[in-house]
Amino acid sequence: CGGSVSDSSGMLQSPNYPGSYPNDADCVWEIQVENNFRVTLTFRDIAMQSGTCQYDYIEVYDGPLHSSPLLGRFCSGSFPTYVSTSNMMSVRFHSDSRYSFRGFQAHYSSIPAGHNTTIQCLPDYMHVVVSRRYLQSQGYSAEGVTLSDSHCRPTVTSQEVVFNIPYDGCGTTQEENNDTINYSNMIRVASSGYIIKRKKNINLHVSCKMLRKSWQQVMYAAEDTVEVNEFQFGRYDMNITFYNSPAFQQQVRSSPYYIDLNQNLYLQACLHSSDPNLKVVVDTCVASPDPHDFNTLAYYLVQNRCPRDPSYATFRSPSSHFARFKFNAFEFMSRHPSVYLKCQMLVCRLGDYSSRCYRGCSSRPKRDTSSAEQEVDVVAGPIQLHEGDVSSESAG
């Protein structure tokens, strides 16, 4: 249950709805719509253990779960509606070990935010557009719009004032918490009077909150097809590619990618960001024959930075934005020629020795991540064997 949701509208409901939800459930949905839109969430049905909402309950957060204000916590009563202040909202459903009921159903959709100022959080910079019509309605001119760093000038068109603000310059500040690494700056709109003024200056605080958690997906094929899927639920741009040797000089570009049993597979995760003060490491990699199910039949190569497979190893990387590792190819027994790999990467602040990027193997739960790290998940696959290996395996 739970997961990342990126459609512009949709339905959320408790597990097994309208049947009884399971005991000891803890589901978190992260709804993220387009930039400059907001999330509106309306509950249509609620049937849970009522009272003080101490045992079974629903929580709605105005952004990521661990670092955002709680909009509401409830278990019965009227059907509320919530609207986010940004393009993200989180919904948590929790049940205890006792009674079970029908649960809940809710509908969400995206609505446009105000268009006086719009922000896009691109991989290398914030793209901020201020409407000149808005400035004129407040009695200001485009010439009075500046950043505190006067060297960073906007582009002024007939309708807009446009800033491209880098994450590592122009006075941008950085702040970390459990769910995001925040980049903030301030656009000043000043009155044009020379001697006196009667209007207050406007300070437009703009920020991009880069989610520390997202899954990426790649795959290797051991039979006759290969697909590469990249799912990014955060705004950090991450991908994983195969290489044909430990020199990591030549990417594997063939499709499908045929491999042999026990062949060394070399992979490189790459974080695309203009922020040089980030470090990426491999936290967890789990293999499955099903790209949509990494629980039923799962094999861990590394878990919480602790190697679980004897062939797993990491390599030194030329940049903190790369993480390199290897393992020996295998296939799942009993008619499962395809192997999919789902890897969770950690993004941390470079030089933060309290973060898990520097602590190595750890058995603590993932939700205890420090304020200086973000989890980015990547899936790769399928990997499939050469047909000769498949036939020899069945013959044996």
Side-chain angles (χ1 to χ4, degrees):
C1 63
S4 297
V5 181
S6 57
D7 293 333
S8 60
S9 63
M11 198 78 71
L12 302 184
Q13 57 191 30
S14 51
N16 302 329
Y17 180 89
S20 297
Y21 52 76
N23 292 326
D24 298 314
D26 199 51
C27 315
V28 177
W29 291 268
E30 289 186 340
I31 308 169
Q32 185 178 1
V33 296
E34 289 184 54
N35 283 314
N36 306 302
F37 280 75
R38 297 179 180 178
V39 182
T40 178
L41 177 74
T42 301
F43 285 83
R44 296 179 170 179
D45 186 22
I46 303 172
M48 302 169 61
Q49 182 178 359
S50 59
T52 60
C53 301
Q54 186 178 357
Y55 307 107
D56 297 356
Y57 54 83
I58 302 167
E59 292 177 329
V60 180
Y61 290 86
D62 191 14
L65 178 69
H66 297 295
S67 60
S68 302
L70 177 66
L71 296 177
R73 174 174 173 154
F74 53 92
C75 56
S76 62
S78 60
F79 300 159
T81 295
Y82 297 97
V83 180
S84 66
T85 59
S86 69
N87 64 329
M88 188 169 184
M89 177 185 284
S90 297
V91 180
R92 181 188 182 196
F93 168 74
H94 177 82
S95 65
D96 69 357
S97 59
R98 297 196 287 180
Y99 307 110
S100 183
F101 297 86
R102 187 170 68 246
F104 79 92
Q105 186 181 66
H107 178 266
Y108 80 89
S109 60
S110 60
I111 57 174
H115 293 297
N116 294 332
T117 303
T118 60
I119 304 175
Q120 284 184 288
C121 300
L122 301 176
D124 295 324
Y125 57 87
M126 289 184 273
H127 180 72
V128 183
V129 178
V130 183
S131 164
R132 291 191 67 174
R133 178 179 295 178
Y134 164 69
L135 294 174
Q136 292 165 1
S137 70
Q138 301 298 311
Y140 296 92
S141 67
E143 288 70 28
V145 183
T146 61
L147 287 176
S148 54
D149 185 341
S150 59
H151 294 97
C152 299
R153 303 294 302 167
T155 299
V156 179
T157 70
S158 60
Q159 296 182 333
E160 300 169 335
V161 180
V162 182
F163 286 91
N164 291 327
I165 308 173
Y167 296 130
D168 60 343
C170 291
T172 301
T173 60
Q174 301 170 12
E175 182 185 12
E176 303 157 6
N177 60 41
N178 284 344
D179 295 302
T180 58
I181 296 179
N182 303 338
Y183 300 93
S184 301
N185 211 312
M186 187 169 67
I187 298 173
R188 302 175 188 272
V189 184
S191 178
S192 58
Y194 292 104
I195 300 176
I196 65 169
K197 68 176 184 180
R198 289 195 170 93
K199 295 197 305 287
K200 294 181 179 179
N201 295 338
I202 298 176
N203 291 336
L204 297 173
H205 297 269
V206 293
S207 63
C208 282
K209 298 185 176 183
M210 307 296 279
L211 291 168
R212 302 174 74 101
K213 239 184 222 180
S214 69
W215 285 96
Q216 299 279 331
Q217 188 162 321
V218 291
M219 65 188 181
Y220 65 88
E223 204 165 45
D224 59 354
T225 58
V226 62
E227 301 171 17
V228 178
N229 302 306
E230 297 181 5
F231 298 100
Q232 298 171 177
F233 304 124
R235 295 195 188 97
Y236 276 126
D237 187 7
M238 177 92 71
N239 72 315
I240 286 184
T241 51
F242 288 99
Y243 283 78
N244 64 357
S245 78
F248 290 93
Q249 292 180 342
Q250 187 173 349
Q251 290 187 25
V252 174
R253 301 185 183 276
S254 59
S255 177
Y257 178 27
Y258 291 106
I259 52 90
D260 300 314
L261 276 179
N262 211 35
Q263 173 183 332
N264 284 325
L265 299 180
Y266 302 97
L267 298 94
Q268 175 175 275
C270 178
L271 172 67
H272 302 281
S273 173
S274 65
D275 184 351
N277 297 310
L278 296 177
K279 177 180 176 64
V280 61
V281 299
V282 183
D283 180 75
T284 297
C285 279
V286 58
S288 168
D290 184 346
H292 307 295
D293 182 1
F294 285 86
N295 296 308
T296 304
L297 188 59
Y299 178 72
Y300 281 86
L301 297 166
V302 56
Q303 188 174 21
N304 296 330
R305 302 209 62 201
C306 303
R308 302 299 187 199
D309 181 276
S311 69
Y312 175 84
T314 58
F315 296 87
R316 291 180 62 88
S317 299
S319 164
S320 63
H321 285 197
F322 295 141
R324 293 173 169 179
F325 59 103
K326 68 165 282 284
F327 66 94
N328 289 7
F330 58 89
E331 71 170 341
F332 285 92
M333 301 181 67
S334 177
R335 306 184 311 279
H336 293 299
S338 299
V339 178
Y340 296 81
L341 198 65
K342 187 174 188 178
C343 294
Q344 185 168 80
M345 317 301 296
L346 281 178
V347 179
C348 307
R349 301 302 300 168
L350 190 63
D352 180 3
Y353 296 101
S354 67
S355 69
R356 272 168 50 205
C357 287
Y358 291 91
R359 281 206 303 269
C361 176
S362 169
S363 59
R364 65 181 185 149
K366 290 177 184 174
R367 68 176 56 190
D368 292 339
T369 53
S370 81
S371 63
E373 58 205 50
Q374 168 190 344
E375 294 168 347
V376 180
D377 300 308
V378 185
V379 181
I383 314 170
Q384 295 190 341
L385 293 174
H386 288 294
E387 291 185 8
D389 291 328
V390 176
S391 59
S392 64
E393 280 283 300
S394 59

